[in-house]
Amino acid sequence: MSNEELKVLLEKYLSDEITPAERQRLQVLVQNDHNRHTLGEMIAAILAEERYTTTSQVDLQQAFGEVMQEAAHREARSRERSMMVVTDSSSSPYFRIFYKLAAAAILLVGLGTGAYWWYRSPQPVANRPVAAVVVPGGNKAILTLADGSIIELDSAREGALGNQGGTRIIKLNGGRLAYAANSAANAGAGSQYNTISTPRGGQYQVVLPDGSQVWLNAASSLRFPVAFTGKDRAVTLTGEAYFEVAQNAGQPFIVQTTGMQVKVLGTHFNVMAYSDEGRVKTTLMEGAVSVSQGKATSLMQPGQQASINESGEAFNITRPDLEEVMAWKTGEFRFRKTDIRMIMRQIARWYNVEIEYKGDLSGITLYGGMTRKENVAQLLELLEQTGEVHFSTNGNHITVMPAGMN
Protein backbone atom coordinates (compact mmCIF):
# COMPACT_ATOMS: atom_id res chain seq x y z
CA MET A 1 0.00 0.00 0.00
CA SER A 2 1.37 3.41 -0.95
CA ASN A 3 0.53 6.65 0.79
CA GLU A 4 -0.54 7.96 -2.59
CA GLU A 5 -3.22 5.28 -2.89
CA LEU A 6 -4.57 6.09 0.57
CA LYS A 7 -4.59 9.81 -0.20
CA VAL A 8 -6.42 9.31 -3.53
CA LEU A 9 -9.06 7.12 -1.91
CA LEU A 10 -9.53 9.56 0.97
CA GLU A 11 -9.94 12.50 -1.44
CA LYS A 12 -12.52 10.53 -3.43
CA TYR A 13 -14.38 9.68 -0.22
CA LEU A 14 -14.50 13.32 0.85
CA SER A 15 -15.74 14.42 -2.58
CA ASP A 16 -18.34 11.64 -2.88
CA GLU A 17 -16.64 10.31 -5.99
CA ILE A 18 -15.56 6.98 -4.53
CA THR A 19 -16.81 3.77 -6.17
CA PRO A 20 -18.09 0.79 -4.13
CA ALA A 21 -14.90 -1.15 -4.90
CA GLU A 22 -12.73 1.80 -3.87
CA ARG A 23 -14.74 2.25 -0.69
CA GLN A 24 -14.19 -1.37 0.20
CA ARG A 25 -10.47 -0.91 -0.41
CA LEU A 26 -10.45 2.17 1.82
CA GLN A 27 -12.19 0.17 4.56
CA VAL A 28 -9.44 -2.43 4.40
CA LEU A 29 -6.70 0.21 4.56
CA VAL A 30 -8.27 2.08 7.48
CA GLN A 31 -8.78 -1.13 9.45
CA ASN A 32 -5.01 -1.71 9.29
CA ASP A 33 -3.51 -0.26 12.46
CA HIS A 34 -0.29 0.55 10.57
CA ASN A 35 -2.16 3.11 8.45
CA ARG A 36 -3.91 5.01 11.24
CA HIS A 37 -1.11 7.49 11.89
CA THR A 38 -0.66 8.12 8.16
CA LEU A 39 -4.37 8.67 7.67
CA GLY A 40 -4.49 11.08 10.59
CA GLU A 41 -1.65 13.10 9.08
CA MET A 42 -3.39 13.16 5.69
CA ILE A 43 -6.64 14.47 7.16
CA ALA A 44 -4.71 17.11 9.10
CA ALA A 45 -2.88 18.12 5.91
CA ILE A 46 -6.17 18.45 4.06
CA LEU A 47 -7.52 20.66 6.82
CA ALA A 48 -4.46 22.88 6.46
CA GLU A 49 -5.09 23.49 2.76
CA GLU A 50 -6.15 26.99 1.76
CA ARG A 51 -9.55 25.85 0.51
CA TYR A 52 -10.41 24.84 4.10
CA THR A 53 -8.82 27.74 5.96
CA THR A 54 -10.20 30.78 4.14
CA THR A 55 -13.37 30.98 6.18
CA SER A 56 -13.66 32.58 9.58
CA GLN A 57 -17.03 30.95 10.14
CA VAL A 58 -15.68 27.52 11.07
CA ASP A 59 -12.38 26.65 12.71
CA LEU A 60 -11.89 23.33 10.99
CA GLN A 61 -8.60 22.56 12.69
CA GLN A 62 -10.22 22.87 16.10
CA ALA A 63 -13.33 21.08 14.87
CA PHE A 64 -11.24 18.18 13.66
CA GLY A 65 -9.62 17.78 17.06
CA GLU A 66 -12.96 18.00 18.82
CA VAL A 67 -14.53 15.43 16.51
CA MET A 68 -11.63 13.04 16.99
CA GLN A 69 -11.92 13.42 20.75
CA GLU A 70 -15.66 12.96 20.70
CA ALA A 71 -15.35 9.87 18.51
CA ALA A 72 -12.91 8.36 20.99
CA HIS A 73 -15.29 9.13 23.84
CA ARG A 74 -18.11 7.41 21.98
CA GLU A 75 -16.00 4.30 21.63
CA ALA A 76 -15.29 4.38 25.37
CA ARG A 77 -18.97 4.84 26.19
CA SER A 78 -19.86 1.26 25.31
CA ARG A 79 -19.77 1.98 21.57
CA GLU A 80 -23.39 3.07 21.67
CA ARG A 81 -24.94 3.89 18.34
CA SER A 82 -23.69 7.28 17.16
CA MET A 83 -24.66 9.00 13.95
CA MET A 84 -23.63 12.43 12.64
CA VAL A 85 -26.68 14.68 12.92
CA VAL A 86 -27.05 17.40 10.29
CA THR A 87 -28.52 20.58 11.76
CA ASP A 88 -30.10 23.55 10.01
CA SER A 89 -26.62 24.96 9.43
CA SER A 90 -26.05 22.18 6.87
CA SER A 91 -27.07 24.65 4.20
CA SER A 92 -23.66 26.30 4.63
CA PRO A 93 -21.01 25.01 2.19
CA TYR A 94 -18.47 25.28 4.97
CA PHE A 95 -20.56 23.05 7.20
CA ARG A 96 -20.84 20.47 4.42
CA ILE A 97 -17.04 20.44 4.13
CA PHE A 98 -16.73 20.08 7.89
CA TYR A 99 -19.32 17.29 7.88
CA LYS A 100 -17.32 15.24 5.40
CA LEU A 101 -14.08 15.78 7.26
CA ALA A 102 -15.78 14.97 10.55
CA ALA A 103 -17.12 11.79 8.99
CA ALA A 104 -13.59 10.93 7.88
CA ALA A 105 -12.30 11.62 11.38
CA ILE A 106 -14.85 9.35 12.98
CA LEU A 107 -14.20 6.84 10.23
CA LEU A 108 -10.56 6.85 11.31
CA VAL A 109 -11.39 6.11 14.95
CA GLY A 110 -14.32 3.79 14.27
CA LEU A 111 -12.80 1.72 11.49
CA GLY A 112 -9.43 1.62 13.16
CA THR A 113 -11.02 -0.18 16.10
CA GLY A 114 -13.31 -2.37 14.00
CA ALA A 115 -16.64 -0.67 14.73
CA TYR A 116 -17.57 1.04 11.54
CA TRP A 117 -20.84 1.06 9.62
CA TRP A 118 -19.79 4.23 7.74
CA TYR A 119 -20.96 7.21 9.76
CA ARG A 120 -23.25 8.82 7.25
CA SER A 121 -26.91 9.68 7.65
CA PRO A 122 -28.93 6.46 7.21
CA GLN A 123 -31.17 6.12 4.19
CA PRO A 124 -34.82 5.07 4.61
CA VAL A 125 -35.13 1.28 4.72
CA ALA A 126 -38.25 -0.43 3.45
CA ASN A 127 -40.21 -3.21 5.17
CA ARG A 128 -39.28 -2.06 8.66
CA PRO A 129 -42.48 -0.89 10.46
CA VAL A 130 -43.42 -4.34 11.76
CA ALA A 131 -39.91 -5.07 13.05
CA ALA A 132 -39.91 -1.89 15.12
CA VAL A 133 -42.05 -3.64 17.75
CA VAL A 134 -39.40 -6.30 18.31
CA VAL A 135 -37.68 -4.95 21.42
CA PRO A 136 -34.38 -6.07 22.93
CA GLY A 137 -34.11 -8.63 25.70
CA GLY A 138 -33.82 -7.91 29.41
CA ASN A 139 -33.43 -9.47 32.85
CA LYS A 140 -35.56 -12.60 32.52
CA ALA A 141 -34.98 -16.04 33.98
CA ILE A 142 -36.69 -19.07 35.51
CA LEU A 143 -35.37 -20.76 38.65
CA THR A 144 -36.12 -24.47 39.05
CA LEU A 145 -35.69 -25.67 42.64
CA ALA A 146 -34.59 -29.11 43.80
CA ASP A 147 -38.19 -30.23 44.36
CA GLY A 148 -39.17 -29.25 40.82
CA SER A 149 -41.04 -26.07 41.72
CA ILE A 150 -40.50 -23.09 39.44
CA ILE A 151 -40.00 -19.40 40.20
CA GLU A 152 -40.23 -16.78 37.45
CA LEU A 153 -37.52 -14.40 38.57
CA ASP A 154 -38.50 -11.42 36.42
CA SER A 155 -41.91 -11.24 38.12
CA ALA A 156 -40.85 -12.33 41.63
CA ARG A 157 -40.45 -9.69 44.32
CA GLU A 158 -37.03 -8.75 45.60
CA GLY A 159 -36.00 -10.42 48.84
CA ALA A 160 -35.86 -13.96 50.19
CA LEU A 161 -37.35 -16.56 47.84
CA GLY A 162 -36.76 -19.64 49.96
CA ASN A 163 -34.36 -21.79 51.93
CA GLN A 164 -32.84 -25.08 50.81
CA GLY A 165 -30.46 -27.16 52.88
CA GLY A 166 -29.51 -24.19 55.03
CA THR A 167 -28.87 -21.96 52.02
CA ARG A 168 -31.01 -18.87 51.55
CA ILE A 169 -32.09 -17.89 48.03
CA ILE A 170 -32.37 -14.13 47.60
CA LYS A 171 -33.51 -12.05 44.65
CA LEU A 172 -31.52 -8.83 44.45
CA ASN A 173 -32.16 -5.78 42.31
CA GLY A 174 -30.90 -5.36 38.73
CA GLY A 175 -31.53 -8.91 37.54
CA ARG A 176 -29.45 -10.74 40.16
CA LEU A 177 -29.96 -13.85 42.26
CA ALA A 178 -27.83 -14.80 45.28
CA TYR A 179 -27.30 -17.99 47.27
CA ALA A 180 -26.18 -17.33 50.84
CA ALA A 181 -24.87 -20.51 52.46
CA ASN A 182 -24.39 -20.53 56.21
CA SER A 183 -22.95 -22.82 58.86
CA ALA A 184 -26.31 -24.55 59.20
CA ALA A 185 -26.06 -25.92 55.65
CA ASN A 186 -26.37 -29.70 55.99
CA ALA A 187 -24.36 -32.33 54.16
CA GLY A 188 -27.36 -33.22 52.01
CA ALA A 189 -27.44 -29.72 50.55
CA GLY A 190 -24.68 -30.72 48.14
CA SER A 191 -27.02 -33.22 46.51
CA GLN A 192 -29.81 -30.64 46.02
CA TYR A 193 -29.53 -28.92 42.65
CA ASN A 194 -31.11 -25.76 41.33
CA THR A 195 -31.19 -24.62 37.71
CA ILE A 196 -31.42 -21.03 36.50
CA SER A 197 -32.49 -20.70 32.86
CA THR A 198 -32.73 -17.63 30.64
CA PRO A 199 -35.08 -17.65 27.65
CA ARG A 200 -34.28 -16.18 24.27
CA GLY A 201 -34.40 -12.47 24.96
CA GLY A 202 -33.26 -12.87 28.55
CA GLN A 203 -30.15 -12.55 30.71
CA TYR A 204 -29.44 -12.90 34.44
CA GLN A 205 -26.69 -12.86 37.05
CA VAL A 206 -26.34 -15.32 39.92
CA VAL A 207 -24.04 -15.36 42.94
CA LEU A 208 -23.34 -19.00 43.78
CA PRO A 209 -23.08 -20.35 47.36
CA ASP A 210 -19.27 -19.99 47.34
CA GLY A 211 -19.44 -16.34 46.26
CA SER A 212 -18.58 -17.01 42.60
CA GLN A 213 -20.46 -14.77 40.19
CA VAL A 214 -21.99 -15.96 36.93
CA TRP A 215 -23.56 -13.86 34.16
CA LEU A 216 -25.88 -15.87 31.90
CA ASN A 217 -26.45 -14.81 28.30
CA ALA A 218 -29.74 -15.40 26.47
CA ALA A 219 -31.00 -18.97 25.92
CA SER A 220 -28.68 -20.41 28.57
CA SER A 221 -28.93 -22.47 31.74
CA LEU A 222 -26.76 -23.24 34.74
CA ARG A 223 -27.28 -26.24 37.04
CA PHE A 224 -25.53 -26.11 40.44
CA PRO A 225 -25.83 -27.46 44.00
CA VAL A 226 -27.32 -25.23 46.67
CA ALA A 227 -24.12 -25.78 48.68
CA PHE A 228 -20.64 -26.88 47.60
CA THR A 229 -19.87 -29.64 50.10
CA GLY A 230 -17.81 -32.09 48.03
CA LYS A 231 -14.21 -32.20 46.84
CA ASP A 232 -14.98 -29.82 43.98
CA ARG A 233 -17.46 -27.15 42.90
CA ALA A 234 -19.07 -28.58 39.79
CA VAL A 235 -21.73 -26.83 37.69
CA THR A 236 -23.24 -27.64 34.30
CA LEU A 237 -23.71 -25.02 31.57
CA THR A 238 -25.66 -24.84 28.35
CA GLY A 239 -25.51 -21.69 26.23
CA GLU A 240 -23.10 -18.96 27.29
CA ALA A 241 -21.91 -17.54 30.59
CA TYR A 242 -19.14 -15.42 32.07
CA PHE A 243 -17.63 -16.62 35.36
CA GLU A 244 -15.76 -14.80 38.09
CA VAL A 245 -14.79 -17.68 40.35
CA ALA A 246 -14.04 -17.26 44.06
CA GLN A 247 -10.63 -18.69 44.91
CA ASN A 248 -10.50 -21.94 46.86
CA ALA A 249 -7.34 -23.96 46.29
CA GLY A 250 -8.75 -26.99 48.09
CA GLN A 251 -11.96 -27.12 46.04
CA PRO A 252 -11.51 -26.68 42.27
CA PHE A 253 -14.34 -25.09 40.30
CA ILE A 254 -15.49 -27.16 37.30
CA VAL A 255 -17.75 -26.09 34.45
CA GLN A 256 -19.12 -29.02 32.50
CA THR A 257 -20.63 -28.59 29.00
CA THR A 258 -21.58 -31.12 26.35
CA GLY A 259 -18.28 -30.50 24.54
CA MET A 260 -15.71 -29.41 27.12
CA GLN A 261 -14.80 -29.42 30.80
CA VAL A 262 -13.20 -26.31 32.32
CA LYS A 263 -11.34 -26.67 35.63
CA VAL A 264 -10.17 -23.67 37.66
CA LEU A 265 -9.24 -22.59 41.17
CA GLY A 266 -10.15 -18.91 40.88
CA THR A 267 -10.26 -16.88 37.70
CA HIS A 268 -12.37 -14.96 35.16
CA PHE A 269 -13.44 -16.64 31.93
CA ASN A 270 -16.21 -16.94 29.36
CA VAL A 271 -17.71 -20.19 28.08
CA MET A 272 -19.80 -20.29 24.90
CA ALA A 273 -21.54 -23.65 24.50
CA TYR A 274 -24.57 -23.04 22.28
CA SER A 275 -25.53 -26.19 20.39
CA ASP A 276 -26.03 -24.26 17.14
CA GLU A 277 -22.53 -22.73 17.16
CA GLY A 278 -20.74 -25.97 16.32
CA ARG A 279 -17.89 -25.60 18.81
CA VAL A 280 -17.65 -24.94 22.52
CA LYS A 281 -15.26 -22.02 23.16
CA THR A 282 -13.64 -21.05 26.44
CA THR A 283 -11.97 -17.64 26.63
CA LEU A 284 -9.72 -16.82 29.58
CA MET A 285 -9.60 -13.25 30.86
CA GLU A 286 -7.61 -13.65 34.10
CA GLY A 287 -5.82 -16.45 35.92
CA ALA A 288 -5.36 -19.92 34.45
CA VAL A 289 -7.71 -22.74 33.52
CA SER A 290 -7.38 -26.30 32.33
CA VAL A 291 -9.76 -27.49 29.59
CA SER A 292 -10.35 -31.11 28.75
CA GLN A 293 -12.47 -33.30 26.50
CA GLY A 294 -11.87 -37.02 26.27
CA LYS A 295 -8.10 -37.52 26.06
CA ALA A 296 -7.45 -33.94 24.96
CA THR A 297 -6.34 -31.43 27.59
CA SER A 298 -4.77 -27.98 27.53
CA LEU A 299 -3.67 -25.34 30.02
CA MET A 300 -4.74 -21.85 28.98
CA GLN A 301 -3.17 -18.46 29.58
CA PRO A 302 -4.99 -15.08 29.83
CA GLY A 303 -6.14 -13.78 26.46
CA GLN A 304 -6.40 -17.24 24.93
CA GLN A 305 -9.45 -19.07 23.61
CA ALA A 306 -9.72 -22.87 23.46
CA SER A 307 -11.99 -24.89 21.20
CA ILE A 308 -11.84 -28.57 20.39
CA ASN A 309 -10.82 -29.35 16.80
CA GLU A 310 -12.83 -31.39 14.31
CA SER A 311 -11.12 -34.65 15.19
CA GLY A 312 -11.74 -34.14 18.90
CA GLU A 313 -8.14 -35.10 19.61
CA ALA A 314 -6.64 -31.71 20.39
CA PHE A 315 -7.61 -28.17 21.34
CA ASN A 316 -7.24 -25.20 19.03
CA ILE A 317 -5.72 -22.34 21.05
CA THR A 318 -6.13 -18.86 19.58
CA ARG A 319 -6.06 -15.23 20.71
CA PRO A 320 -9.48 -13.80 19.86
CA ASP A 321 -10.70 -10.22 19.95
CA LEU A 322 -11.61 -10.05 23.65
CA GLU A 323 -13.93 -7.07 23.17
CA GLU A 324 -15.97 -9.09 20.68
CA VAL A 325 -16.08 -12.11 23.00
CA MET A 326 -17.22 -10.03 25.98
CA ALA A 327 -19.54 -7.64 24.12
CA TRP A 328 -22.70 -9.46 25.24
CA LYS A 329 -21.78 -9.00 28.92
CA THR A 330 -21.11 -5.28 28.48
CA GLY A 331 -24.46 -4.81 26.70
CA GLU A 332 -23.17 -4.60 23.12
CA PHE A 333 -23.16 -6.23 19.76
CA ARG A 334 -19.57 -6.25 18.55
CA PHE A 335 -18.63 -7.75 15.20
CA ARG A 336 -15.09 -8.07 13.85
CA LYS A 337 -15.20 -9.71 10.44
CA THR A 338 -18.03 -11.87 11.76
CA ASP A 339 -19.95 -14.22 9.48
CA ILE A 340 -23.49 -13.00 8.80
CA ARG A 341 -25.03 -16.26 10.00
CA MET A 342 -23.21 -15.99 13.33
CA ILE A 343 -24.45 -12.40 13.63
CA MET A 344 -28.02 -13.51 12.97
CA ARG A 345 -27.78 -16.27 15.58
CA GLN A 346 -26.88 -13.62 18.15
CA ILE A 347 -29.79 -11.47 17.00
CA ALA A 348 -32.18 -14.44 17.18
CA ARG A 349 -31.21 -15.22 20.77
CA TRP A 350 -31.34 -11.64 22.05
CA TYR A 351 -34.50 -10.46 20.29
CA ASN A 352 -36.29 -13.84 20.29
CA VAL A 353 -36.89 -13.76 16.54
CA GLU A 354 -36.90 -16.42 13.84
CA ILE A 355 -34.33 -16.20 11.04
CA GLU A 356 -34.65 -17.40 7.44
CA TYR A 357 -32.00 -17.19 4.72
CA LYS A 358 -32.41 -16.61 0.97
CA GLY A 359 -29.76 -16.47 -1.71
CA ASP A 360 -26.01 -16.94 -1.46
CA LEU A 361 -24.71 -15.37 1.75
CA SER A 362 -21.38 -17.18 1.76
CA GLY A 363 -18.37 -14.99 2.37
CA ILE A 364 -20.34 -12.09 3.89
CA THR A 365 -18.51 -10.93 7.00
CA LEU A 366 -19.12 -7.62 8.74
CA TYR A 367 -17.49 -5.22 11.16
CA GLY A 368 -19.63 -3.11 13.45
CA GLY A 369 -21.02 -2.42 16.86
CA MET A 370 -24.15 -1.20 18.61
CA THR A 371 -25.69 -1.27 22.05
CA ARG A 372 -28.04 -4.18 22.74
CA LYS A 373 -30.57 -1.69 24.12
CA GLU A 374 -31.79 -0.69 20.65
CA ASN A 375 -34.71 -2.44 19.00
CA VAL A 376 -34.05 -4.86 16.18
CA ALA A 377 -35.15 -2.44 13.45
CA GLN A 378 -32.28 -0.07 14.24
CA LEU A 379 -29.74 -2.87 14.20
CA LEU A 380 -31.02 -4.18 10.86
CA GLU A 381 -30.81 -0.68 9.40
CA LEU A 382 -27.17 -0.41 10.41
CA LEU A 383 -26.40 -3.82 8.97
CA GLU A 384 -28.01 -2.82 5.69
CA GLN A 385 -25.87 0.33 5.60
CA THR A 386 -22.85 -1.90 4.92
CA GLY A 387 -24.27 -2.58 1.44
CA GLU A 388 -23.76 -6.31 1.93
CA VAL A 389 -27.14 -7.57 3.14
CA HIS A 390 -30.85 -6.86 2.92
CA PHE A 391 -33.66 -7.84 5.31
CA SER A 392 -37.37 -8.46 4.99
CA THR A 393 -39.36 -8.55 8.23
CA ASN A 394 -42.76 -9.90 9.17
CA GLY A 395 -43.54 -9.72 12.88
CA ASN A 396 -40.78 -11.65 14.65
CA HIS A 397 -39.67 -13.34 11.41
CA ILE A 398 -36.60 -11.94 9.64
CA THR A 399 -35.47 -13.02 6.17
CA VAL A 400 -31.82 -12.37 5.34
CA MET A 401 -30.72 -11.87 1.73
CA PRO A 402 -27.68 -10.55 -0.15
CA ALA A 403 -27.92 -6.82 -0.94
CA GLY A 404 -29.95 -6.15 -4.07
CA MET A 405 -32.10 -9.24 -3.67
CA ASN A 406 -35.82 -8.87 -2.87
Side-chain angles (χ1 to χ4, degrees):
M1 187 278 301
S2 67
N3 289 352
E4 185 62 27
E5 179 189 13
L6 185 57
K7 182 178 180 181
V8 169
L9 292 175
L10 180 58
E11 290 278 5
K12 286 186 175 183
Y13 173 76
L14 295 176
S15 60
D16 271 342
E17 296 175 353
I18 196 165
T19 67
E22 290 171 334
R23 175 177 293 188
Q24 187 175 30
R25 174 60 176 162
L26 181 58
Q27 290 176 2
V28 172
L29 294 178
V30 173
Q31 289 159 18
N32 187 330
D33 287 341
H34 296 295
N35 297 332
R36 295 189 68 192
H37 179 68
T38 301
L39 182 57
E41 289 182 340
M42 287 183 179
I43 295 176
I46 292 171
L47 288 169
E49 293 179 12
E50 184 176 355
R51 54 181 164 153
Y52 298 131
T53 57
T54 55
T55 175
S56 60
Q57 292 177 284
V58 180
D59 185 345
L60 290 175
Q61 294 281 2
Q62 181 179 350
F64 171 76
E66 292 174 351
V67 169
M68 289 293 287
Q69 185 178 28
E70 175 60 19
H73 287 168
R74 290 179 192 167
E75 279 288 297
R77 292 196 300 266
S78 303
R79 279 78 175 180
E80 292 188 0
R81 182 190 179 198
S82 303
M83 306 297 289
M84 291 297 292
V85 179
V86 180
T87 65
D88 291 339
S89 63
S90 61
S91 58
S92 163
Y94 301 111
F95 183 88
R96 288 197 296 271
I97 292 170
F98 165 69
Y99 177 76
K100 289 183 180 297
L101 291 166
I106 299 177
L107 172 122
L108 169 62
V109 174
L111 282 185
T113 57
Y116 70 72
W117 285 324
W118 295 79
Y119 291 84
R120 292 173 179 265
S121 299
Q123 301 300 314
V125 180
N127 302 321
R128 203 64 80 231
V130 179
V133 302
V134 181
V135 297
N139 295 322
K140 303 173 186 177
I142 292 176
L143 178 65
T144 303
L145 302 179
D147 61 4
S149 56
I150 292 175
I151 299 174
E152 294 186 3
L153 294 176
D154 41 313
S155 59
R157 292 185 177 181
E158 294 178 10
L161 300 179
N163 188 306
Q164 292 194 312
T167 297
R168 291 187 302 139
I169 306 172
I170 307 166
K171 180 184 176 180
L172 307 175
N173 61 3
R176 297 179 299 153
L177 185 71
Y179 280 71
N182 55 49
S183 57
N186 57 57
S191 63
Q192 298 183 49
Y193 283 80
N194 284 187
T195 301
I196 181 170
S197 305
T198 56
R200 298 210 312 178
Q203 63 182 16
Y204 225 81
Q205 179 183 352
V206 57
V207 180
L208 297 177
D210 66 336
S212 296
Q213 298 186 67
V214 185
W215 287 258
L216 280 177
N217 201 353
S220 303
S221 70
L222 186 74
R223 184 175 181 267
F224 53 93
V226 297
F228 292 116
T229 58
K231 61 182 181 179
D232 56 37
R233 297 170 286 167
V235 301
T236 302
L237 171 71
T238 63
E240 184 170 22
Y242 176 73
F243 295 82
E244 292 188 355
V245 175
Q247 293 211 12
N248 185 341
Q251 198 178 32
F253 192 96
I254 297 174
V255 180
Q256 182 68 55
T257 73
T258 55
M260 187 184 297
Q261 184 183 87
V262 184
K263 185 176 181 179
V264 304
L265 297 178
T267 188
H268 299 179
F269 60 98
N270 190 80
V271 179
M272 191 275 290
Y274 288 113
S275 59
D276 59 356
E277 293 292 350
R279 290 186 178 193
V280 176
K281 297 179 180 179
T282 295
T283 307
L284 180 62
M285 308 301 289
E286 296 181 16
V289 303
S290 172
V291 291
S292 61
Q293 175 62 22
K295 296 181 179 180
T297 184
S298 182
L299 183 65
M300 297 176 60
Q301 299 299 321
Q304 292 183 336
Q305 182 179 86
S307 61
I308 200 74
N309 66 12
E310 288 81 354
S311 66
E313 298 176 350
F315 281 97
N316 289 326
I317 304 296
T318 59
R319 285 193 173 274
D321 185 313
L322 297 181
E323 287 188 346
E324 182 179 8
V325 172
M326 296 308 305
W328 72 269
K329 181 180 175 291
T330 57
E332 298 175 285
F333 288 106
R334 189 84 171 161
F335 308 130
R336 300 284 181 86
K337 203 175 181 180
T338 307
D339 181 82
I340 184 61
R341 291 178 182 267
M342 183 177 292
I343 290 173
M344 297 313 298
R345 288 194 293 270
Q346 293 185 39
I347 290 174
R349 287 191 286 264
W350 184 238
Y351 291 100
N352 190 20
V353 293
E354 300 298 324
I355 307 297
E356 179 184 355
Y357 300 96
K358 289 177 62 177
D360 183 8
L361 294 161
S362 59
I364 296 180
T365 59
L366 303 176
Y367 288 79
M370 195 181 87
T371 172
R372 297 212 305 179
K373 295 178 182 179
E374 303 289 357
N375 65 49
V376 74
Q378 292 167 304
L379 178 55
L380 296 182
E381 284 187 19
L382 285 177
L383 288 171
E384 285 199 341
Q385 290 296 311
T386 65
E388 297 284 346
V389 289
H390 173 65
F391 303 95
S392 175
T393 59
N394 183 11
N396 72 335
H397 188 96
I398 300 173
T399 302
V400 190
M401 299 163 279
M405 182 177 180
N406 295 313

